[in-house]
Amino acid sequence: MDWIAHVLPNVVSLGWSGDDGWLTSIGQTLFMTFWSAIFGGILGLIFGIGLVLTDEHGIKANRVWFNIFDKIVSIFRAIPFIILLAFIAPVTQEIVGTQIGTTAALVPLSLGVFPFYARQVQVALSGVDHGKIEAAQSVGASFWDLVFDVYLQEARSELVRVTTVTLISLIGLTAMAGAIGAGGLGNTAIAYGYNRFSNDVTWIATLLVLLFVLVVQLVGDFLAKKLDHQSR
């Protein structure tokens, strides 16, 4: 411990608990990642499915609805996240009651990640064999049967892969949100590392973010391979 305190003095001085502690920062990062993944994931899944179903080759082809889904996703994807944070600040204020903090960050994080995930879902579902869709329709499968038992079932391993990619991207967004006051490891790296010339704090915060990314990647790869084997 003496050696660690000597090599990483600023890291040790932050401590584990308290408002500035490492456990607090890690908890805030996990909180933002989890809940924005839930909210943004639901939105992205809805829009991704909508894009596939209303496409000209979809089971509910509808040019008007497809254009609506497509334009909303494209507009939000085109807005840089750092600008989105400021752009929707009044909306965040109305929903959460504040524009700063980890809870407030959930609104821009969810809106920032959902268009990316929607496109990923669209690509994953577009790869489903149309022969299986037609076969299901020929035996009288309902609309919801086609969505859940054909599209989502057949694309489940690919959906796990794109979800993994999206989660990794989301972890990066939480770090960016933290850099402007939302808390988490991004805030620790900037406020207590970079701004105070404490390189050891910046390094450890970066390593922890990389560790989160590695864990998500390993778990995602494992689940995707397992689902691949089950579908064969």
Side-chain angles (χ1 to χ4, degrees):
M1 290 301 297
D2 290 338
W3 179 82
I4 294 175
H6 176 71
V7 176
L8 306 171
N10 300 297
V11 172
V12 174
S13 67
L14 283 178
W16 284 102
S17 58
D19 293 340
D20 305 327
W22 287 100
L23 282 178
T24 302
S25 295
I26 292 170
Q28 289 171 339
T29 295
L30 293 175
F31 174 83
M32 289 188 289
T33 302
F34 177 80
W35 286 110
S36 54
I38 296 295
F39 298 136
I42 292 173
L43 270 177
L45 192 62
I46 292 172
F47 275 80
I49 292 173
L51 284 166
V52 172
L53 298 183
T54 58
D55 180 69
E56 60 179 344
H57 302 297
I59 59 174
K60 290 289 184 180
N62 187 306
R63 182 181 296 273
V64 173
W65 276 107
F66 177 82
N67 285 331
I68 291 173
F69 287 131
D70 184 64
K71 294 301 181 292
I72 292 175
V73 170
S74 296
I75 289 171
F76 275 95
R77 278 200 72 186
I79 303 174
F81 181 68
I82 199 72
I83 296 177
L84 182 66
L85 284 168
F87 179 72
I88 66 167
V91 178
T92 303
Q93 179 73 39
E94 289 296 322
I95 295 175
V96 183
T98 180
Q99 298 180 16
I100 59 175
T102 52
T103 304
L106 296 181
V107 178
L109 283 171
S110 299
L111 293 178
V113 78
F114 103 83
F116 177 79
Y117 189 51
R119 290 299 185 195
Q120 297 286 327
V121 170
Q122 180 186 14
V123 172
L125 297 184
S126 295
V128 174
D129 186 358
H130 281 280
K132 293 182 178 181
I133 298 171
E134 293 172 356
Q137 288 176 318
S138 67
V139 296
S142 67
F143 170 78
W144 294 112
D145 289 335
L146 292 172
V147 172
F148 289 104
D149 296 335
V150 181
Y151 277 108
L152 296 181
Q153 182 72 13
E154 291 296 324
R156 64 188 187 278
S157 62
E158 192 60 32
L159 285 173
V160 169
R161 290 190 180 92
V162 301
T163 300
T164 301
V165 173
T166 303
L167 282 174
I168 291 172
S169 175
L170 181 57
I171 291 172
L173 294 182
T174 63
M176 193 184 302
I180 63 165
L185 291 169
N187 180 66
T188 299
I190 298 299
Y192 301 102
Y194 180 79
N195 290 343
R196 299 184 181 182
F197 303 100
S198 303
N199 291 331
D200 54 337
V201 173
T202 305
W203 294 337
I204 295 301
T206 303
L207 286 174
L208 287 172
V209 170
L210 290 175
L211 179 62
F212 289 160
V213 169
L214 179 62
V215 170
V216 169
Q217 187 69 65
L218 290 174
V219 173
D221 289 344
F222 171 77
L223 292 175
K225 289 178 182 178
K226 187 173 182 180
L227 290 172
D228 265 341
H229 289 309
Q230 289 178 355
S231 62
R232 291 174 183 173

